[in-house]
Amino acid sequence: MVQAGAVHGDVHLHAPSSPAPAVPRQLPAAPGMFAGRTAELAVLDRALADAPGGRDRAAAGAAVVISAIGGAGGIGKTWLAVAWAHRRLERFPDGQLFVDLRGFSPTDNPVDPAVAVRGFLDALGVVPDRVPTDLDAQAALYRTLVAGKRMLVVLDNAATSEQVVPLLPGSPSCTVLVTGRRRLASLIDRHGARHLALRVLAQDEARALLMARLGPDRVAAEPVAVEELVELCGAYPLALAITARTAATRPAVPLAEVAAELRELGLEALDHDTDPAASLPAVLSWSLRRLTDEQRTVFALLGIAPGPDTTLPAVVSLTDLPSDRIRRALSVLEEASLLERRSQGRYAMHDLVRAYAAAIAHDLPEQVRETALRRVMDFHLHTAVAADRLLNPHRQLLHPDPPAPGTHPYPLPDAAAATAWLEAEHATLLATQHAAVTLERHHVVWHLAWALDTFHTRRGHWRDTLASWRAALNASVHLPVPATRSRAHRLLGHACSQLGLHEEATGHLEQALALAARHHDSTEQAHTHRVLAIIWERRGDDRQALNHARHALDLQRTLDQPEWETDSLNQVGWYAARLGDFATAREHCHAALTLYRHHHNPDGEAATLDSLGFIAHRTGDHRQAVDHYHQALTLFRTHGHIYQVADTLDSLGHSHAALGHHDQARAVWQEASQLYRDQGRDTDAERAQRQLDDLDSTPTPVKPPQDTDGDKTGG
């Protein structure tokens, strides 16, 4: 709520004398079984209490207090306004005026301000033949009649500020509540209205609403079904009310069945054939009437765009419209409470509003829908490919199909921007791959898995990696390049191994190796041997792991692939160290370090420094180990390799403890433990905690663990 400047007319009229001044009581009945909105009710209370002069605003010369409650259709704006008004009736002893301005209603005709003013004059007891014919004169008479009175004026369902302004009292003794779907900008700017944006209910408030309407016994009897109803309704007040009405009129039907029906039918279950006000789709449709055709199309396409939210650049590709027109359309949708602007330039819809928009999209020509989806998918794919290239420039470059006409991938200047974009868009990228599966855009499915692989590895998103490569493996059957299938098996096997699915991992790697051999692809065979080395390490067979690492190294030397040969040099050094052959380990790791630095490959350099730290620790040179681990950590942190940071911190703690630096050991193990928990690596987190617990009682902790999850592939 905000204070607004009073609206003063230039016409000085006096109310006609009457035996007893009318005291209007126009408020509708208080909402039945109103629940929740505690915070919002408190905001309205504070606005009234905080007004200059408080209860004596008129004496203090303060302005009218105006609260503008905004939000989507069915979000509960009128319920809140009327519920608050009834709770504060004692503050308005001189009466309450109420008018439904019908800005958004089944009819297409908002109430004319002249009609509303005339209604107020009638309620205030003005004799019809004393009512001026001119709107300005009527408004001036209305202001005169309420001057100095402690009255509440509720202007419900306003469409525009122009509808509201003639109905504002001029006296600071009055309070005004306005509700509307649009943000009434000039009311805020010129009259100081305090805007209160109404959103969905909190989870406990949504449960309370169902309890109020269905009774505590029925809700308590099926708590799981109640939680599902709240989730399916998205805590949207009108959806909850409709669902509660459905359940209340079917007392013999379990709430679990009501939830199942809502889950199956979706928005259709919230519709009503004969009563538009009892239909969520109908209520939402009233918000579209003042949109242009272009704005309606943007709204509809947003409903089918993949992901939980979106950005301006993505919508430009989705719609193939200039950015200035899209910016305007998004602003209009936001003003109409159909779209929410969030931080970092992101736009989101409530799930039910999105479902309604998707339903509207089905009225568009199929070609329009499919072309829009292709563009936005290609926007995300090609931006993700560019991001992956910035994160891992030494990785094999694979080119997806060219983007659809009208696609404008987002320009990313550097690796930091690429990481930030991938973080922000991660959920949308996963949703894009899922949508591509549905549309059978097989190359998008495969290349998105490839483009996300570096990011997933660095962040430890192994379950997402597993799902994306499962989808990519299915898609690879439809792709013409044989290597796509062997690569999918290889990278799916790697993900399985990270999640402890060793048998499945081995099966995928064997298929990858067989496919690569069948197509005489020695490069893919070498990569597969490197992953097999990791899998055998995790299965506890370092000798077998070393054999695969040597096989990969031999293949890459024959292929003249110095950068990938370097990865295998580090791998051989790592497994030799684990088997106690430290001379071989140092030779191979130092050779790898030199080549990584020559090729400016920080991922590989960090992995090799970690290996050298392990070698130094195992041979008793703990100070050298600390130095190597610190160098590795600096590189891992700089390049966002959070998953590997945890393992290197764990190893560093052992070297600090061996030197008697217990404070440093404690600090790095605490950080490692927290990272392990954040990454869902519970076993590693428990091990780190045991090391912390034993730190003070063990003079020299044991050697670093032999089974860390980090792999020595050079990134």
Side-chain angles (χ1 to χ4, degrees):
M1 255 197 272
V2 194
Q3 294 181 46
V7 180
H8 297 287
D10 294 330
V11 181
H12 299 284
L13 298 175
H14 297 283
S17 59
S18 60
V23 179
R25 308 289 186 189
Q26 291 190 322
L27 281 181
M33 296 173 286
F34 181 82
R37 298 301 190 196
T38 304
E40 291 84 356
L41 290 167
V43 169
L44 296 174
D45 285 342
R46 282 197 301 274
L48 192 60
D50 293 346
R55 288 179 177 271
D56 298 320
R57 294 199 309 276
V64 179
V65 175
I66 307 173
S67 295
I69 304 172
I75 205 70
K77 301 178 294 296
T78 303
W79 287 356
L80 175 64
V82 175
W84 180 84
H86 276 281
R87 294 180 186 207
R88 294 292 175 262
L89 283 179
E90 80 283 354
R91 300 293 298 270
F92 311 109
D94 296 321
Q96 307 90 39
L97 295 169
F98 180 95
V99 62
D100 180 359
L101 294 173
R102 304 180 71 80
F104 302 90
S105 64
T107 67
D108 208 11
N109 300 309
V111 172
D112 190 288
V115 174
V117 170
R118 176 59 188 267
F120 282 174
L121 293 176
D122 290 342
L124 291 166
V126 178
V127 178
D129 61 6
R130 294 293 192 95
V131 176
T133 57
D134 178 69
L135 173 60
D136 289 338
Q138 290 177 358
L141 175 57
Y142 155 64
R143 290 193 295 269
T144 300
L145 291 170
V146 300
K149 294 184 178 180
R150 293 167 60 192
M151 295 189 70
L152 174 67
V153 180
V154 180
L155 308 175
D156 188 43
N157 202 9
T160 64
S161 295
E162 288 72 19
Q163 234 187 340
V164 170
V165 169
L167 307 177
L168 296 178
S171 174
S173 61
C174 295
T175 296
V176 180
L177 271 182
V178 184
T179 75
R181 301 188 187 188
R182 287 200 173 101
R183 191 175 300 156
L184 304 176
S186 65
L187 197 65
I188 299 170
D189 297 344
R190 296 173 55 197
H191 300 279
R194 295 191 181 187
H195 182 73
L196 173 58
L198 212 56
R199 295 182 172 85
V200 297
L201 296 168
Q203 295 295 301
D204 58 338
E205 292 180 330
R207 286 190 291 272
L209 189 151
L210 289 177
M211 185 177 295
R213 291 170 180 260
L214 298 177
D217 293 341
R218 193 171 181 191
V219 168
E222 295 187 75
V224 175
V226 169
E227 292 300 320
E228 186 174 9
L229 288 172
V230 170
E231 181 181 354
L232 290 170
C233 291
Y236 204 96
L238 182 56
L240 287 164
I242 293 170
T243 301
R245 179 245 301 157
T246 300
T249 56
R250 302 172 183 171
V253 176
L255 295 181
E257 288 189 27
V258 178
E261 183 178 276
L262 181 56
R263 184 172 57 251
E264 179 183 354
L265 298 179
L267 204 61
E268 184 182 341
L270 303 173
D271 202 354
H272 197 282
D273 293 334
T274 59
D275 187 350
S279 164
L280 183 60
V283 168
L284 292 174
S285 73
W286 303 337
S287 295
L288 303 185
R289 289 179 176 163
R290 291 173 181 82
L291 301 183
T292 65
D293 289 343
E294 182 173 281
Q295 291 160 359
R296 285 171 179 254
T297 299
V298 172
F299 173 70
L301 292 178
L302 286 171
I304 61 172
D309 55 16
T310 191
T311 61
L312 175 66
V315 183
V316 168
S317 287
L318 174 71
T319 60
D320 193 22
L321 291 171
S323 60
D324 58 338
R325 282 161 61 184
I326 288 300
R327 187 176 284 106
R328 173 62 182 157
L330 294 175
S331 177
V332 168
L333 294 174
E334 184 188 4
E335 289 290 324
S337 300
L338 292 169
L339 191 66
E340 180 184 352
R341 170 73 180 266
R342 295 178 177 173
S343 62
Q344 299 180 328
R346 306 197 71 80
Y347 294 87
M349 289 176 169
H350 186 278
D351 287 346
L352 293 176
V353 177
R354 175 190 290 276
Y356 175 66
I360 296 299
H362 286 293
D363 294 333
L364 297 173
E366 183 177 354
Q367 180 65 24
V368 171
R369 292 197 312 272
E370 289 198 5
T371 303
L373 276 174
R374 285 177 178 272
R375 284 193 302 265
V376 78
M377 285 180 184
D378 287 351
F379 166 84
H380 285 111
L381 170 60
H382 284 267
T383 308
V385 168
D388 181 64
R389 196 66 187 160
L390 286 166
L391 293 186
N392 197 349
H394 300 277
R395 193 178 187 213
Q396 186 175 3
L397 180 59
L398 302 176
H399 296 284
D401 292 349
T407 303
H408 308 283
Y410 187 66
L412 297 167
D414 52 36
T419 299
W421 186 85
L422 288 166
E423 286 277 14
E425 299 292 343
H426 186 227
T428 298
L429 291 166
L430 296 178
T432 298
Q433 190 194 41
H434 181 75
V437 170
T438 302
L439 287 180
E440 298 184 348
R441 297 196 70 200
H442 304 300
H443 86 281
V444 174
V445 175
W446 197 95
H447 281 280
L448 266 175
W450 180 263
L452 286 169
D453 199 66
T454 299
F455 175 75
H456 280 165
T457 299
R458 292 185 179 185
R459 287 296 190 267
H461 295 321
W462 294 114
R463 296 195 183 282
D464 292 330
T465 306
L466 185 72
S468 68
W469 279 114
R470 285 196 197 284
L473 179 60
N474 292 333
S476 68
V477 177
H478 305 278
L479 298 176
V481 181
T484 56
R485 188 160 182 80
S486 58
R487 288 186 187 117
H489 274 298
R490 167 167 61 87
L491 290 161
L492 179 54
H494 188 204
C496 287
S497 124
Q498 290 284 358
L499 293 168
L501 306 173
H502 300 310
E503 292 294 336
E504 184 179 351
T506 303
H508 283 298
L509 267 295
E510 288 173 350
Q511 290 185 70
L513 205 55
L515 284 167
R518 184 188 310 162
H519 295 286
H520 309 290
D521 189 342
S522 298
T523 297
E524 191 58 34
Q525 289 180 62
H527 290 323
T528 304
H529 278 296
R530 285 176 50 226
V531 180
L532 278 164
I534 297 166
I535 291 174
W536 282 108
E537 174 191 348
R538 295 199 173 104
R539 298 186 72 168
D541 191 337
D542 288 337
R543 182 66 59 188
Q544 186 81 298
L546 179 59
N547 289 339
H548 281 290
R550 287 190 182 281
H551 201 153
L553 180 59
D554 291 342
L555 281 168
Q556 283 161 346
R557 281 174 169 165
T558 64
L559 294 168
D560 190 25
Q561 297 173 337
E563 287 195 47
W564 294 336
E565 177 185 335
T566 308
D567 294 338
S568 294
L569 280 169
N570 181 36
Q571 245 195 354
V572 169
W574 170 252
Y575 293 120
R578 288 174 65 86
L579 291 166
D581 185 357
F582 297 114
T584 299
R586 285 194 191 91
E587 176 189 351
H588 283 74
C589 288
H590 279 299
L593 186 63
T594 299
L595 286 170
Y596 278 134
R597 286 173 172 168
H598 174 73
H599 292 292
H600 306 289
N601 186 334
D603 283 346
E605 182 181 348
T608 307
L609 286 165
D610 183 90
S611 298
L612 288 168
F614 177 81
I615 294 167
H617 182 88
R618 290 294 301 274
T619 56
D621 191 350
H622 304 302
R623 293 187 186 279
Q624 184 67 59
V626 168
D627 181 58
H628 285 314
Y629 284 137
H630 274 301
Q631 291 182 64
L633 277 172
T634 297
L635 289 167
F636 282 138
R637 291 187 199 275
T638 299
H639 296 278
H641 210 319
I642 296 173
Y643 193 82
Q644 188 59 51
V645 165
D647 289 331
T648 302
L649 284 167
D650 191 6
S651 299
L652 174 59
H654 288 279
S655 295
H656 275 311
L659 291 167
H661 301 160
H662 286 198
D663 288 344
Q664 291 94 321
R666 182 176 293 103
V668 295
W669 277 338
Q670 285 173 340
E671 185 181 354
S673 179
Q674 184 60 55
L675 284 173
Y676 284 142
R677 284 193 294 272
D678 293 344
Q679 295 167 13
R681 300 164 67 180
D682 295 338
T683 301
D684 292 328
E686 291 168 5
R687 186 189 68 246
Q689 188 58 53
R690 286 195 301 272
Q691 291 164 185
L692 285 165
D693 294 340
D694 295 342
L695 187 59
D696 292 328
S697 59
T698 305
T700 304
V702 295
K703 293 178 284 190
Q706 294 283 312
D707 58 350
T708 58
D709 283 340
D711 60 62
K712 300 294 169 180
T713 61

